Amino acid sequence: MSNLSLNCENLKSFVTEQEINSFQKQVSLCHEKLEQGTGAGADYLGWLRLPSCFSNSIAAEIESAAAAVRDLCEVFILVGIGGSYLGARAGISFLSNSFPNQRNEHAAPEIYFAGHNLSSDYHADLFDLISARDVCLNVVSKSGTTTESAIAFRLLKQMVENKYGADGARDRIVVTTDSNRGTLKTLADDLGYKTFVIPDDVGGRYSVLTPSGLFPMAVAGVNVKELMAGARQGERLYSADSLDQNDAYRYAVIRHLLYQRGKTTEILATFQPAFYYLSQWWKQLVGESEGKDLRGIFPATAEFTGDLHSMGQWIQDGGRNIFETFLILESSRRQLKIPTSQNDADGLNYLVGETLDAVNEKAWRGTAVAHREGGVPNMTIKINDRSPASLGQIIYFFERAVAMTGYLNGVNPFDQPGVGFYKKNMFKLLGKPGF
Ligand code: PA5
């Protein structure tokens, strides 16, 4: 049973079934490259089997470290950027209460993030917020040398050491990094911090199903075994070669076809605030995996219905180089009904008794048809619920799809050579030795 479905009704006037199926041969070739490890970036295919290789002993290690942290602190700070931050944040927002730090159903610590920007105000405000609280840190960096997270970690580590001493800090700092390289690994070994490993063959943006994403989620109260069971279900469903049986590959082919027809921007549009960071994670996954060698779909995100009141005009009527993927939640956890009002001063009595979900659903359906009629091909991925299993499955779905689209477009979906350029200039301007 799948927790996801892909609906292509609003693509019919843009892409035919026959055109999609004509890609089967190319898909099979790319699939073989993924499965046999014979394509570009083959050293970074470890993510393919993370779900099926997840063992009870890894789960137990993550759960017990998370329990220790939860016992010790009121505030947990995840220090990281890019793939070492977005997956965890996506999972926590997807699964938590809408205001997780105000109303915490799992008695978990409040969770904050650092090192994903270089803002002085942000980090100073964070210090103010946490200085009188009991704090634990998890610094996540595969390379162990990323400037943003290294600076934030230096600041926060000193704060923790000043507060609890070196011994106390040891219990409160968890490091997630490479198995044997990088300054962070050396530092963690020297100071005796608890460490988790991001496997060598898993790149940052594909690392959410490693302790990089799983440990912070476990601290937030997420059942990581259920999450990985959903991911395993994804691995089973989306490892089929055939386009008839594999919706992740279907989605990949449709994206590729639309891209070839000049639809160079994909908007991932959601109608749930809980999906906001999942779309940010998706944006990074697509952006870094597909955007290279002067090609690739430009990934954009929209949060409806709010963005219908800002970007809606552009999407309906602007340049016709876009397509949309709606990410829709089948059923909310809780229902609110629209109440009656005696004088109907706001004119809403025609909706009395309707749930907010029902109104939101009509907003999505109305938008999808309007945009299709405005020349924007669109499709919908429906996700059953906000459960760990559904999350695990959608993560694997997108990873498979993006890897396939990258291969179809002739790029290496597992490197990010362009990211180094800004760093070189920044280091030169900062006077870093060797630059
Ligand atoms: O996907 C990637 O490789 C990047 O986004 C990295 O995750 C990001 O640059 C952070 O790198 P690191 O984990 O080495 O600190």
Side-chain angles (χ1 to χ4, degrees), residues 81-84 140-144 146 149 204-205 284 288 416:
I81 193 166
S84 291
V140 184
S141 176
K142 179 157 189 217
S143 63
T146 301
S149 39
R205 60 189 174 275
Q284 187 212 358
E288 283 193 344
Q416 54 285 330

Side-chain angles (χ1 to χ4, degrees), residues 193-269:
Y193 294 151
K194 162 83 191 149
T195 53
F196 283 110
V197 169
I198 304 173
D200 287 352
D201 57 358
V202 180
R205 60 189 174 275
Y206 290 85
S207 72
V208 52
L209 300 178
T210 73
S212 160
L214 296 177
F215 173 64
M217 285 196 248
V219 173
V222 173
N223 184 327
V224 294
K225 282 189 194 139
E226 276 176 39
L227 177 80
M228 291 306 278
R232 252 192 319 280
Q233 175 72 342
E235 187 181 320
R236 271 193 295 274
L237 289 168
Y238 309 126
S239 299
D241 168 32
S242 159
L243 278 169
D244 284 341
Q245 289 161 25
N246 188 335
D247 273 349
Y249 285 174
R250 259 181 100 66
Y251 169 58
V253 166
I254 292 164
R255 301 173 72 234
H256 184 60
L257 253 170
L258 292 169
Y259 174 72
Q260 287 185 323
R261 290 184 183 167
K263 306 289 183 191
T264 52
T265 293
E266 176 177 10
I267 301 173
L268 186 73

Side-chain angles (χ1 to χ4, degrees), residues 88-124:
R89 190 159 196 179
I92 292 167
S93 320
F94 184 94
L95 295 169
S96 301
N97 177 282
S98 303
F99 308 98
N101 287 343
Q102 271 71 50
R103 188 175 167 279
N104 199 319
E105 68 254 54
H106 303 289
E110 291 176 20
I111 298 188
Y112 297 99
F113 301 88
H116 56 296
N117 62 59
L118 287 166
S119 164
S120 186
D121 284 345
Y122 178 90
H123 288 90

Side-chain angles (χ1 to χ4, degrees), residues 251-298:
Y251 169 58
V253 166
I254 292 164
R255 301 173 72 234
H256 184 60
L257 253 170
L258 292 169
Y259 174 72
Q260 287 185 323
R261 290 184 183 167
K263 306 289 183 191
T264 52
T265 293
E266 176 177 10
I267 301 173
L268 186 73
T270 60
F271 285 74
Q272 299 289 335
F275 291 2
Y276 177 79
Y277 282 102
L278 185 63
S279 6
Q280 299 308 305
W281 169 83
W282 169 90
K283 191 161 71 179
Q284 187 212 358
L285 185 68
V286 174
E288 283 193 344
S289 303
E290 297 181 23
K292 53 196 69 163
D293 305 337
L294 304 179
R295 48 192 125 137
I297 294 169
F298 182 83

